[in-house]
Amino acid sequence: MRFTMTAALKPGMVLGRDIVSPLHSVILKQGAVLTNENILYLAQKGYLGAYVDNEDTKGIAPEEHISQSTLADGVKAVDNVDMKALMAAARQIVIDISNMKQLSIDLLDLRSYDEYTYRHSVNVAVYATAVAKYMGMTESELIQMAQAGICHDLGKTKIPYEIINKPGRLTDAEFQEVKNHPRYSYDILFANKDISSMVRQAVLCHHENVNGSGYPAGKEGNELTTMAKILHAVDIYDALISKRPYKEPYTPAEAFEYMIGGRGILFDVDVVDAMKAVIPAYPIATDVRLSTGEDAVVIGHTKEPLRPIVRVLGKNLDIDLTRNEYRSILITPISVLNAGRSGKVEKLNEDRSAVKERKTRIMLVDDSIISLRQTGAALENEDYELIVLQSGMAAINYIKAKGAVDLVIMDIEMPKMNGIATVAAFREMGYNDMPVIFLTSNAFKETVKRCIEVNAKDYIVKPVLPVYLRERVAIALDATLER
Ligand SMILES: [Fe+2]
Ligand SMILES: [Fe+2]
């Protein structure tokens, strides 16, 4: 079978796996022939896609990582905030993960839009347990990891539903309230004697970034436990691949790029490396398009996450992209990416631009034209107006003449006047709050310190990865997206 994005599903296709909604019923059975109505339903409910049977891909099937009964029990436990059932589900997840033939989470979780909250908690527990197992944790630690995963967002039940599911921007007060949820989760667990302090700590710290820019306490990597670091990284990963009220889902490959971009900045280096090994950028059975223009399906993994073994459709040819003769072939993200971006996202953008009278003005400053081109291409978006400049002096002159922009993206290493000095000059001119993201070739402590001294929002290490840049820019413009 192969995984096909909802927008690419066609009537007559045969379902290769059940589509289930654990709290409701089986939505569609394996073997069902898809109709127009089915496809419309899946699209409306925000399903990413479906596994369909296909001659070319007979025998290809991703391994199930958790059983349907574990999923159903976990989801019910989260929905009812039933501590005993949550603990049992955590244990069952560890058993299921331990029984996997290969520690690789290939099966895409097919869930509707309104199942997010409880499926998210179960998914996070599954990912966290798999990553922790890869990193060598003992069985008792794995159980604690799964407990932390399944309980991490329980505190959200204390926050009004309208705030949690609000599309678009939160007010400052709403965002402050959202930021309390790790503490609320911690408090709920505190009442339970069976839960270890390790679990509580991990839950409390699940929104902390390793560079100290997270919440609630702004702790840094050396103050965080491995469990907390795993929980944080897989939590973001699952949010990225999910459809949320304010965003469309990223594909696993895009989410993978985000994790790599944040490696050592937001996320612990060892945790990201473990995720690379356990959570595939290109899961088994997913559709890809090759740079040769051919369509293919992923059939196996290699040591290089971005170069799997693929079957070229219509040719009966399997190729290992790590082999020398195929080195020139790349996977183009287009087929997977665009197919998933259906009607909903346009509507979301419309809603947002309706409130906006003008485009968001972003100034890009970099002495390298190649670098400017890459950054500019990654930010191509009808909501953004890009002002592209090649030196610190040019940037200062622009601000002097035209006033502040909405966001500055500034290269640090530039001849004559470097990026830090340029931003320091902005601050002296009185533009204290103008948000700045630095681009740097290194993230040494000294560099980071200088970024903080001039009140930068963020810094990104080159080479710039498009998905990471886009997402960090969106967050710099609207911090409440990082919820
Ligand atoms: Fe959370
Ligand atoms: Fe979460």
Side-chain angles (χ1 to χ4, degrees), residues 312-341:
V312 183
L313 293 174
K315 264 200 174 170
N316 211 358
L317 172 70
D318 294 350
I319 58 177
D320 176 342
L321 292 173
T322 60
R323 301 230 345 227
N324 271 339
E325 60 261 52
Y326 303 120
R327 276 280 161 195
S328 61
I329 302 178
L330 297 172
I331 292 178
T332 49
I334 306 147
S335 63
V336 199
L337 203 145
N338 286 350
R341 305 285 147 97

Side-chain angles (χ1 to χ4, degrees), residues 243-256:
K243 185 180 175 72
R244 307 287 295 114
Y246 42 86
K247 69 169 256 306
E248 286 297 301
Y250 280 105
T251 63
E254 291 172 307
F256 179 88

Side-chain angles (χ1 to χ4, degrees), residues 194-231:
D194 297 334
I195 290 171
S196 72
S197 63
M198 279 298 278
V199 174
R200 287 201 305 267
Q201 271 307 316
V203 166
L204 181 63
C205 297
H206 82 267
H207 282 282
E208 299 286 7
N209 295 323
V210 296
N211 69 356
S213 64
Y215 64 82
K219 284 190 178 177
E220 284 185 38
N222 55 10
E223 305 168 280
L224 296 164
T225 63
T226 304
M227 247 179 230
K229 291 173 185 167
I230 295 174
L231 187 55

Side-chain angles (χ1 to χ4, degrees), residues 375-426:
T375 318
L379 293 176
E380 231 167 77
N381 174 332
E382 51 187 37
D383 288 341
Y384 296 159
E385 178 191 331
L386 303 180
I387 300 140
V388 180
L389 299 169
Q390 276 194 75
S391 73
M393 218 45 232
I396 289 171
N397 287 335
Y398 183 94
I399 299 290
K400 264 189 192 148
K402 306 255 172 114
V405 292
D406 297 305
L407 176 69
V408 177
I409 300 176
M410 177 76 66
D411 181 29
I412 291 187
E413 296 87 7
M414 292 191 292
K416 289 197 193 126
M417 186 169 213
N418 73 34
I420 304 267
T422 308
V423 173
F426 292 163

Side-chain angles (χ1 to χ4, degrees), residues 116 120-121 124 152-153 156 181 206-207 231 235-236 239 483:
Y116 175 74
H120 168 69
S121 299
V124 164
H152 78 284
D153 274 340
K156 282 192 176 173
H181 83 269
H206 82 267
H207 282 282
L231 187 55
D235 177 46
I236 300 283
R483 52 177 121 153

